[in-house]
């Protein structure tokens, strides 16, 4: 919901930092993989009870996610880069509730499972919409710099990271936060399904002229 405004506000500083990294000889995909590995580093930190340190990993992961796109646009965006970006993003998102389940399986196992299930709903509707929109030649006017049709919703990256940070600050609230955010993800899933039903209506068959079949 807030991704578009945040992306606009961070665009210039990200472009400047991206240009410096390119000057150092780094490539967008290297930053993508580096950010993903930093994000996964949050798993052992949370599981071992050092959730506040995990915030650093989460923030660096999101920084890398913004930088790799800025670097790609300053060099040459590729389909492989877009594929890696979205695939590794979803794997990272699922890693945080998994880490809390590992930290306390008794209390966090079920809310973590519910939250991951809700991520499947938002993720599959997001990607299915993007695939069919690309097949039809549609493009997003809200996110023109994305490598695919980016369909927004109530629970985008900004909201997800805000909840992750709050979970890391107050681990005892994980269950409540997980259930609450899962509910918002469910609403996002419903709105995306509704958008798909409206946009991908079957085209009515053309009627022939009188006397023709």
């Amino acid at each position: 919901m807030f991704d578009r405004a945040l992306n606009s506000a961070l665009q210039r500083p990200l472009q400047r930092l991206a240009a410096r990294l390119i000057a150092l000889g780094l490539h967008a995909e290297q930053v993508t993989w580096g950010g993903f590995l930093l994000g996964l580093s949050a798993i052992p930190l949370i599981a071992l009870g050092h959730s506040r340190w995990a915030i650093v990993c989460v923030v660096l992961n999101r920084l890398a996610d913004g930088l790799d796109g800025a670097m790609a646009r300053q060099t040459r965006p590729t389909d492989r880069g877009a594929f890696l970006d979205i695939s590794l993003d979803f794997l990272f998102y699922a890693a945080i509730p998994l880490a809390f389940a590992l930290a306390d399986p008794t209390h966090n196992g079920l809310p973590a499972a519910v939250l991951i299930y809700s991520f499947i709903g938002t993720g599959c509707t997001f990607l299915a919409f993007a695939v069919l929109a690309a097949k039809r030649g549609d493009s997003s006017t809200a996110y023109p710099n994305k490598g695919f049709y980016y369909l927004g919703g109530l629970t985008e990256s900004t909201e997800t990271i805000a909840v992750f940070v709050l979970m890391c600050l107050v681990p005892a609230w994980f269950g409540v936060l997980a259930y609450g955010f899962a509910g918002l993800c469910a609403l996002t899933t419903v709105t995306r399904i509704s958008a798909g039903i409206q946009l991908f209506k079957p085209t009515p068959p053309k009627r022939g002229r009188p006397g023709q079949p």
Side-chain angles (χ1 to χ4, degrees), residues 2 19 36 48 58 77 80 84 112 119 140 151 154 176 181 190 198:
F2 296 113
F36 175 64
L48 295 174
V58 171
R80 186 173 73 175
L84 286 174
F119 285 168
S140 173
L151 181 64
L154 288 174
V176 173
F181 197 64
V190 170
Q198 293 298 317

Side-chain angles (χ1 to χ4, degrees), residues 59-84:
V59 172
L60 290 176
N61 172 272
R62 292 298 86 197
L63 175 61
D65 184 63
L67 281 172
D68 60 5
M71 293 172 69
R73 288 188 290 273
Q74 291 183 32
T75 52
R76 185 171 66 89
T78 64
D79 290 340
R80 186 173 73 175
F83 166 76
L84 286 174

Side-chain angles (χ1 to χ4, degrees), residues 187-207:
L187 289 176
T188 297
T189 300
V190 170
T191 58
R192 285 176 176 168
I193 291 174
S194 177
I197 291 173
Q198 293 298 317
L199 183 62
F200 303 136
K201 288 180 179 179
T203 303
K206 294 182 180 180
R207 294 183 180 181

Side-chain angles (χ1 to χ4, degrees), residues 104-177:
D104 189 349
T106 301
H107 295 97
N108 294 343
L110 181 58
V114 171
L115 183 55
I116 292 173
Y117 177 75
S118 74
F119 285 168
I120 292 175
T122 56
C124 70
T125 51
F126 176 89
L127 294 175
F129 191 99
V131 168
L132 292 174
K135 181 180 178 182
R136 293 161 53 95
D138 296 332
S139 59
S140 173
T141 57
Y143 300 93
N145 292 326
K146 294 290 184 179
F148 45 85
Y149 196 113
Y150 193 98
L151 181 64
L154 288 174
T155 53
E156 297 177 351
S157 176
T158 303
E159 294 80 16
T160 304
I161 299 308
V163 170
F164 284 172
V165 169
L166 190 54
M167 289 173 174
C168 290
L169 288 173
V170 193
W173 292 1
F174 173 77
V176 173
L177 292 169

